[in-house]
């Protein structure tokens, strides 16, 4: 009887020791640093749509991110990950543990792409900002931007569709599709165009698209936020009087040279619907992606009688405004003299 008790006690000690050892081993397998162990910065793992568990392991191997494959494989099977691989962009931080990473991958907790676009004039500029940032090919987005039906779905045509993209910083999943990206941009557009702003646009007899087109000209004319409402007011006065806008930035857009410092007669003669020296009213589309600050400047334009303005001779970026052509001619002469003196062509 005493021998049996000793045996049972011994067996319990052995079982407890083994259990403790296994528990410790399992804890190590789950939590010890095993991925990006020698990394100095985050590693980004991309799992394409339709990717398999083998693709994941091969990628980790290729980039030497995985330290102990056996423990990773063991815990992956234990957590049923091989059957639940989800596409996406995942950041693996230095010295990450198996359980932390596998759990993140298994749940599909993507780390979104940070996309910022500003200073965009053309569709090609927008595409460059997008290029290589997402799983889809940029050509797919180009096709949508050129597709009349795809643009009409959101209330635009292939010329005005650029009005839908508001310069800002966005966080978007790497696996998004061109269609989902367009829908997201339309949602952001609608967030800006609140009932209040729609009412403001209506009160100045403009549609949101017309506001955006004018705003693109205003921001191309001045980068001084405090001056934008005054510039917008001058253009709106011209529209009301059925005067050509005579906006130099639209001529640069028509010519295709945004580096021009001087607009010459040969530039003014170019035949283009964007040449506002030859055509009255607004051009058919924006000449740049209008920033929200420029949109607000048009909606809240300064009420005054100015219909002319010319860059200041001090090259500060501000303008001299005038109500009469005579006053404007004098301002223009002073600016031209400043250009000549500075030898700017």
């Amino acid at each position: 009887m005493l021998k049996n008790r000793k045996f049972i006690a011994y067996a319990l000690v052995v079982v407890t020791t083994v259990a403790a050892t296994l528990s410790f081993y399992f804890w190590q397998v789950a939590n010890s640093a095993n991925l990006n162990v020698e990394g100095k910065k985050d590693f980004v793992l991309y799992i394409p749509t339709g990717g398999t568990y083998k693709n994941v392991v091969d990628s980790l191997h290729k980039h030497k991110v995985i330290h102990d494959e056996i423990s990773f494989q063991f815990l992956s099977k234990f957590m049923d990950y091989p059957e639940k691989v989800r596409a996406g962009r995942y950041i693996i931080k230095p010295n990450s543990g198996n359980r932390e990473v596998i759990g993140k991958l298994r749940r599909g907790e993507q780390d979104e792409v940070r996309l910022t676009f500003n200073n965009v004039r053309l569709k090609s500029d927008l595409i460059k900002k997008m290029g290589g940032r997402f799983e889809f090919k940029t050509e797919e987005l180009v096709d949508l931007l050129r597709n009349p039906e795809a643009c009409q779905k959101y209330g635009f045509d292939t010329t005005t569709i650029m009005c839908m993209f508001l310069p800002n910083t966005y966080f978007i999943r790497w696996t998004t599709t061109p269609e989902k990206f367009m829908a997201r941009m339309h949602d952001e557009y609608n967030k800006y165009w609140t009932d209040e702003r729609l009412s403001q646009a209506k009160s100045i007899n403009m549609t949101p698209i017309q506001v955006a087109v004018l705003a693109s000209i205003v921001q191309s004319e001045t980068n001084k936020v405090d001056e934008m409402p005054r510039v917008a007011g001058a253009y709106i006065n011209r529209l009301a009087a059925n005067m050509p806008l005579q906006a130099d930035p639209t001529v640069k857009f028509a010519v295709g040279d945004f580096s021009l410092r001087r607009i010459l007669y040969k530039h003014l003669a170019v035949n283009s619907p964007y040449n506002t020296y030859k055509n009255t009213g607004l051009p058919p589309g924006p000449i740049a992606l209008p920033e929200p600050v420029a949109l607000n400047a048009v909606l809240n334009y300064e009420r005054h009688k100015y219909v002319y303005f010319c860059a200041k001779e001090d090259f500060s970026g501000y303008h001299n405004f005038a109500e009469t052509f005579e006053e404007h001619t004098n301002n223009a002469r002073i600016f031209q003299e400043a250009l000549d003196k500075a030898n700017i062509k």
Side-chain angles (χ1 to χ4, degrees):
M1 191 66 147
L2 182 59
K3 288 183 179 181
N4 288 340
R5 287 180 180 178
K6 287 183 178 181
F7 177 77
I8 293 173
Y10 175 76
L12 287 174
V13 170
V14 172
V15 170
T16 301
T17 302
V18 171
T21 301
L22 290 174
S23 296
F24 179 70
Y25 173 74
F26 190 82
W27 184 93
Q28 282 188 312
V29 167
N31 301 296
S32 294
N34 191 45
L35 292 113
N36 202 11
V37 175
E38 298 180 3
K40 302 296 183 182
K41 57 183 180 180
D42 295 345
F43 171 76
V44 182
L45 172 67
Y46 293 95
I47 304 176
T49 299
T52 65
Y53 177 67
K54 184 178 184 302
N55 296 143
V56 174
V57 175
D58 287 347
S59 181
L60 294 175
H61 265 304
K62 178 182 178 181
H63 296 94
K64 300 180 180 179
V65 177
I66 192 167
H67 181 65
D68 178 7
E69 182 181 342
I70 294 177
S71 65
F72 183 83
Q73 295 269 26
F74 170 77
L75 196 62
S76 291
K77 292 180 180 179
F78 181 82
M79 296 177 68
D80 198 28
Y81 175 56
E83 289 74 37
K84 296 184 178 180
V85 173
R86 297 190 181 186
R89 172 183 181 271
Y90 301 94
I91 292 177
I92 299 178
K93 296 188 174 298
N95 299 314
S96 294
N98 287 328
R99 184 174 63 177
E100 173 190 359
V101 173
I102 295 170
K104 180 176 184 176
L105 299 179
R106 187 176 182 275
R107 292 188 296 271
E109 294 178 356
Q110 289 193 47
D111 291 286
E112 296 176 316
V113 175
R114 185 177 189 271
L115 175 66
T116 298
F117 53 82
N118 48 27
N119 298 321
V120 172
R121 293 184 181 277
L122 307 171
K123 290 179 182 178
S124 57
D125 296 328
L126 178 63
I127 295 302
K128 287 179 182 178
K129 296 279 186 180
M130 301 284 298
R133 305 293 302 280
F134 299 94
E135 184 179 22
F136 66 78
K137 295 179 180 179
T138 53
E139 291 80 4
E140 299 176 63
L141 181 58
V142 171
D143 290 342
L144 282 181
L145 295 175
R146 291 175 178 172
N147 187 320
E149 291 184 4
C151 295
Q152 181 59 43
K153 177 181 178 181
Y154 300 109
F156 301 90
D157 58 34
T158 55
T159 300
T160 60
I161 187 63
M162 292 293 282
C163 294
M164 188 177 77
F165 298 88
L166 296 181
N168 207 334
T169 296
Y170 303 98
F171 293 89
I172 304 172
R173 288 196 165 197
W174 178 72
T175 50
T176 193
T177 63
E179 292 78 10
K180 288 182 179 179
F181 176 73
M182 291 278 282
R184 168 67 184 280
M185 291 299 100
H186 188 244
D187 287 343
E188 298 293 338
Y189 177 84
N190 286 335
K191 287 179 184 177
Y192 173 83
W193 283 104
T194 60
D195 289 342
E196 180 182 356
R197 289 195 176 106
L198 289 172
S199 179
Q200 281 183 289
K202 186 176 181 180
S203 70
I204 60 176
N205 298 314
M206 298 182 80
T207 66
I209 290 178
Q210 290 173 326
V211 170
V213 172
L214 182 55
S216 74
I217 299 174
V218 169
Q219 76 176 26
S220 298
E221 192 69 69
T222 180
N223 60 8
K224 306 298 183 182
V225 175
D226 58 333
E227 192 184 55
M228 285 184 179
R230 179 167 292 188
V231 171
Y235 282 137
I236 287 177
N237 288 343
R238 280 182 165 266
L239 289 172
N242 199 32
M243 296 173 63
L245 291 182
Q246 295 185 330
D248 288 356
T250 65
V251 177
K252 295 179 183 180
F253 186 90
V255 174
D257 186 353
F258 304 110
S259 65
L260 291 174
R261 294 296 299 272
R262 283 191 173 189
I263 301 299
L264 306 177
Y265 286 114
K266 67 177 181 179
H267 301 135
L268 300 180
V270 66
N271 288 316
S272 168
Y274 287 89
N275 185 346
T276 57
Y277 277 82
K278 276 197 165 190
N279 306 285
T280 57
L282 293 169
I287 62 172
L289 292 192
E291 302 271 353
V293 68
L295 294 169
N296 292 338
V298 173
L299 292 174
N300 301 282
Y301 72 90
E302 183 179 314
R303 271 67 173 176
H304 53 62
K305 295 183 180 180
Y306 299 130
V307 289
Y308 302 98
F309 57 92
C310 175
K312 281 193 171 184
E313 63 280 4
D314 60 2
F315 304 118
S316 62
Y318 284 96
H319 296 77
N320 288 314
F321 292 79
E323 295 182 21
T324 66
F325 182 69
E326 291 74 20
E327 186 182 358
H328 172 65
T329 300
N330 184 58
N331 290 336
R333 177 185 57 78
I334 293 173
F335 179 64
Q336 290 297 328
E337 289 175 353
L339 286 175
D340 291 335
K341 187 176 181 179
N343 196 30
I344 297 176
K345 298 180 179 181

